[in-house]
Amino acid sequence: MKSLETYQNFYFVGIGGIGMSALARYFNESGKNVLGYDKTVTKLTNVLVSEGIDIVFEDGINDEIKNLDRENTLVIYTPAIKKLDILNYFNENGFTVLKRAKVLGMITENTNCIAIAGTHGKTTTSSLVAHLCKEANLPFSCFLGGIAENFKSNFLFNGNEISVVEADEYDRSFLNLSPNWAAITSIDADHLDIYGDKETIEKGFRDFADLVPESDQLFIRKGIQIGRAAKTYAVNEEADFYSDNIREIGDKIYFDFHTPTQEIEDFVWEIPGIHNVENATVAIAILNNLGVDFETLKSGIANFKGIKRRYTKHNFDSGKIYIDDYAHHPTELNAVIGSIKTFYPHKKLLVVFQPHLFSRTRDFADGFAESLDKADELILLDIYPARELQENFEGITSKWLLEKIKLENKEISTLNEAFDKIKNKDFDVLLTVGAGNIDTLYDGIVEWLNG
């Protein structure tokens, strides 16, 4: 296969996806001609256009596509896209067409790759690793699954000796990578539409772990059985690397960090939640093992601003609190609702939740019901289908899920009606949560609560 350097044109089919856009930015930063297609205009596609990337939103073969030379054009697509005239054209006309994961894997082959995997926690952890690399001024590029608040992007180019990659288990994408360093944060059942059952997804993570050549460079959350030697990390219990003495002082979280030979007291940051201290623990461990000193790491932890839509919190003069989060699995919902209940035990919590995928809603319905029962009041939105069709999941609806939830104050809503319903509710804390397009409510809610 030709090396990536031999191509001058890179066409992205589904360029607005979070993973696709990071790759597009990488090649654009590298001086290549980048263009692409997406179905809808979003904030992210607008930013890509402002960066000089040409995007079309109509599925048709325009002159720009016809003028591309198949010898120096690489076409990159996401498996979420099934049928498209543009993709058919490239396949029928002999262009090289590769999945996003394959291309990302080719980039990691020639770098010192740090890959962060896990069904939960990988976006925060990989973004924190990238942020700490930047604090230490290491020569790295990062490819993230979320928008890091510190650099307002899912991609940053600070050199190409190191790659920091969010290792996505969907479609077994992470098996294309060449990790020198890796962390596995969790291996809960998810993506059962791809893997079928819990045992198969666990095997996928074991296969990923086997890609890491050195056991001292593989970090596994304590309790996960990965089938090979590795370093462990934990919170509030001993491991090879662990954090404890976690306390909240004002708006800040303090914790102490332990290596096999040292204790470093008083790391301080603003990111709430025990699960986030766990993410910080493995990020600190990896960077310190890469040679970054603890003074630099403390500074980086202190000024880390988090990820857009990962417990994004606003406090208002009225006393109300608004939190927006990407959680779309029962384990993630338990973490975010648990954090809110810990920090605000006497405040009334209104949850607005948008389920993501019919298959995930079906597979984890009882878990979702149990998680959402912890709210004081619930507005349950219609299921966001993403790549799935309702006709293939007869009977799997938000109404069906709502019936499983024991909470008394609960109702169904469309996304369009949700904002008006929120404005008529009595709450102290509002949580909007989900991985679909519920984020379109965010700006309006902030503006309303500010007023």
Side-chain angles (χ1 to χ4, degrees), residues 143-374:
F143 304 84
L144 309 175
I147 304 298
E149 292 284 12
N150 286 82
F151 34 90
K152 303 295 182 191
S153 180
N154 56 343
F155 170 75
L156 189 67
F157 185 89
N158 198 53
N160 53 15
E161 291 178 30
I162 298 169
S163 58
V164 178
V165 177
E166 180 169 331
D168 187 5
E169 73 277 5
Y170 175 71
D171 201 35
R172 296 179 172 84
S173 292
F174 57 2
L175 299 184
N176 290 281
L177 302 174
S178 298
N180 304 90
W181 301 76
I184 297 178
T185 62
S186 53
I187 57 171
D188 290 349
D190 198 3
H191 302 300
L192 298 186
D193 54 325
I194 298 292
Y195 289 94
D197 55 40
K198 187 174 187 289
E199 289 72 27
T200 307
I201 193 169
E202 288 177 356
K203 182 185 183 303
F205 279 99
R206 288 196 299 273
D207 291 343
F208 169 75
D210 286 341
L211 298 174
V212 183
E214 303 291 337
S215 295
D216 283 354
Q217 294 177 193
L218 174 63
F219 297 77
I220 308 295
R221 186 173 59 78
K222 189 174 181 180
I224 293 175
Q225 303 302 315
I226 210 64
R228 63 163 288 185
K231 295 297 184 185
T232 59
Y233 72 94
V235 162
N236 289 335
E237 61 173 316
E238 289 192 11
D240 293 316
F241 300 90
Y242 66 99
S243 296
D244 62 6
N245 192 23
I246 302 166
R247 61 259 187 227
E248 182 182 12
I249 302 173
D251 279 343
K252 299 190 185 299
I253 307 294
Y254 287 68
F255 60 92
D256 300 339
F257 176 80
H258 302 258
T259 78
T261 59
Q262 289 176 275
E263 177 183 353
I264 299 86
E265 294 182 344
D266 292 342
F267 275 86
V268 189
W269 74 343
E270 298 178 0
I271 312 299
I274 299 293
H275 60 294
N276 279 320
V277 176
E278 202 170 68
N279 297 332
T281 302
V282 69
I284 294 165
I286 291 172
L287 268 292
N288 184 242
N289 277 268
L290 272 167
V292 180
D293 63 87
F294 284 115
E295 189 177 339
T296 301
L297 293 173
K298 272 193 167 183
S299 171
I301 290 291
N303 64 35
F304 181 60
K305 293 184 170 63
I307 318 301
K308 196 174 284 294
R309 302 214 65 231
R310 300 311 193 273
Y311 209 96
T312 301
K313 186 175 78 167
H314 296 270
N315 294 290
F316 297 93
D317 292 342
S318 62
K320 291 190 186 298
I321 297 163
Y322 172 40
I323 296 164
D324 182 47
D325 196 272
Y326 189 73
H328 54 284
H329 184 282
T331 303
E332 297 165 347
L333 274 178
N334 286 337
V336 67
I337 293 174
S339 285
I340 292 169
K341 289 292 185 180
T342 298
F343 289 115
Y344 311 109
H346 306 299
K347 292 185 182 292
K348 184 179 179 184
L349 172 63
L350 168 63
V351 174
V352 184
F353 176 57
Q354 182 185 50
H356 185 263
L357 297 177
F358 300 112
S359 59
R360 186 181 282 120
T361 305
R362 175 198 65 199
D363 294 338
F364 302 107
D366 292 340
F368 281 125
E370 196 175 312
S371 302
L372 295 168
D373 272 333
K374 296 169 185 168

Side-chain angles (χ1 to χ4, degrees), residues 121-136:
K122 61 180 175 287
T123 302
T124 297
T125 307
S126 56
S127 301
L128 179 55
V129 168
H131 170 68
L132 295 175
C133 284
K134 187 169 189 299
E135 286 289 301

